[in-house]
Amino acid sequence: METGAIPLSEIAGPFDLQATLESGQSYLWDRPDGRMYESMDVRGGDAWYRTVVPPIEGVSEESIAVRVRQRDDELEWAATGDPVPVLRHLLRLDDDLDAIYAAAPDDDLFERAFDAYRGMRLVRDPPFPCLVSFICSAQMRVSRIHGMQMSLADAFGDRHAFDGEAVAAFPTPAQLAAREESELRDLKLGYRAPYVRKTAAMVAEGEAHPREAAGLDYEDAREYLTQFVGVGDKVADCVLLFSLGYLQAVPLDTWIRSAIAEHFPECDRGNYAETSRALRDRLGGEYAGYVQTYLFYYLRARGDE
């Protein structure tokens, strides 16, 4: 096992690991202390987080088990290989967060959200696990969504020896496609079970892969992702934002629709595509997804004070 640290002085702008990993963007990390998603109002903590990262094209060639925590002015890590390129990728450490804040429209609500969770970054999760996570997200609390992904890993994923423990990776498409629907229902996926199994089969059989949306024009990419079973516009936008790097994507969930009704009623155009387009413009365009994520966390975790 290798250990090391990334000095936070090397990245542009502030960073908050806890807010980044526990703000409802990712369900693929876990806390060894068992307190993941215990609250929806967290920031600034120094807990360990761990995950198993599959090979990432252009970043890493093998699976890496890694744990990381923020302490003092460093990101401490321990891993089965060199995780620094992987952590820079997954946690978007190359984003210039101060520039992103500065690019946001001048608005008191945005400023309150930025101040409350300064340093929260978007994640860049692997595409297939991200897709499955958000297929499971419909009408679910974040703790339940996270629990489903951990259960899928424990039941069907490969195990990696790590610091005296066996840590489970998220299942591959082939591993999930090989399971019976009843086995997924046993893990409390409910009506989502056939969606997950059929989507996994699409990927395993080479019919489509979420990563193939990358590089398409934004709305074409969203349309591409809706071919997967159980994926509508909102889930597609989540995958685009939290995996594929479309920082302009604004998933229209219940909390954001409430924000539209209360703060941006002029953006409600009666359908998803037009409302999304109007809200993207209102939130600044290029980095609208960043602004949306801060608003989501602020409104959901703290309330509109």
Side-chain angles (χ1 to χ4, degrees):
M1 186 175 68
E2 301 180 29
T3 61
I6 300 173
L8 293 177
S9 60
E10 293 181 356
I11 71 173
F15 180 72
D16 189 315
L17 180 66
Q18 185 175 29
T20 298
L21 294 183
E22 294 197 56
S23 52
Q25 303 181 54
S26 177
Y27 302 98
L28 305 175
W29 294 79
D30 197 21
R31 284 177 55 161
D33 63 8
R35 301 183 65 182
M36 191 75 178
Y37 282 120
E38 190 174 73
S39 170
M40 271 301 289
D41 183 10
V42 296
R43 61 196 184 281
D46 62 359
W48 284 105
Y49 297 85
R50 70 183 178 192
T51 191
V52 178
V53 188
I56 302 172
E57 185 175 357
V59 178
S60 62
E61 297 181 353
E62 59 184 0
S63 294
I64 297 175
V66 59
R67 72 176 178 224
V68 62
R69 71 172 173 180
Q70 182 173 354
R71 197 171 186 188
D72 298 325
D73 296 320
E74 295 182 325
L75 276 182
E76 297 181 15
W77 55 261
T80 55
D82 178 9
V84 173
V86 168
L87 291 172
R88 289 189 179 279
H89 178 85
L90 295 179
L91 303 175
R92 301 194 66 95
L93 298 184
D94 293 328
D95 286 352
D96 186 340
L97 205 53
D98 285 333
I100 290 170
Y101 292 151
D106 186 15
D107 187 289
D108 180 63
L109 179 61
F110 302 163
E111 288 295 327
R112 282 184 277 155
F114 293 153
D115 288 343
Y117 300 105
R118 188 161 294 275
M120 181 176 72
R121 289 170 183 253
L122 293 184
V123 297
R124 191 190 278 120
D125 277 346
F128 176 71
C130 181
L131 177 65
V132 172
S133 296
F134 283 100
I135 289 174
C136 292
S137 70
Q139 301 177 351
M140 278 289 172
R141 301 188 308 275
V142 291
S143 59
R144 287 285 306 279
I145 303 165
H146 175 257
M148 287 180 186
Q149 310 322 302
M150 296 300 102
S151 294
L152 288 171
D154 288 340
F156 309 129
D158 293 333
R159 300 203 171 260
H160 294 254
F162 183 63
D163 196 22
E165 297 184 69
V167 182
F170 193 82
T172 65
Q175 287 172 327
L176 276 183
R179 313 317 304 187
E180 297 294 332
E181 181 182 323
S182 60
E183 294 179 276
L184 301 183
R185 288 186 180 273
D186 287 344
L187 299 180
K188 311 300 183 186
L189 268 67
Y191 70 85
R192 305 158 194 83
Y195 301 164
V196 169
R197 186 173 182 273
K198 291 175 183 176
T199 284
M202 291 176 68
V203 179
E205 295 166 8
E207 181 179 344
H209 197 293
R211 66 169 173 255
E212 293 176 5
L216 298 176
D217 289 342
Y218 164 58
E219 293 190 359
D220 291 338
R222 186 172 66 197
E223 180 65 24
Y224 177 89
L225 291 175
T226 60
Q227 72 182 292
F228 293 102
V229 182
V231 177
D233 288 334
K234 180 259 185 179
V235 169
D237 267 335
C238 289
V239 177
L240 293 176
L241 183 59
F242 302 132
S243 176
L244 299 180
Y246 288 78
L247 302 186
Q248 71 270 49
V250 285
L252 301 184
D253 70 347
T254 300
W255 290 95
I256 295 303
R257 288 187 181 276
S258 295
I260 291 171
E262 183 170 354
H263 300 285
F264 318 114
E266 72 281 2
C267 294
D268 188 350
R269 304 297 170 86
N271 64 72
Y272 191 101
E274 293 300 324
T275 299
S276 173
R277 191 173 295 123
L279 186 61
R280 288 200 307 276
D281 290 342
R282 178 64 181 85
L283 300 186
E286 181 180 5
Y287 299 118
Y290 251 107
V291 180
Q292 180 269 351
T293 302
Y294 273 86
L295 288 179
F296 169 88
Y297 197 34
Y298 179 74
L299 295 174
R300 183 165 185 167
R302 296 174 61 87
D304 187 9
E305 299 172 350

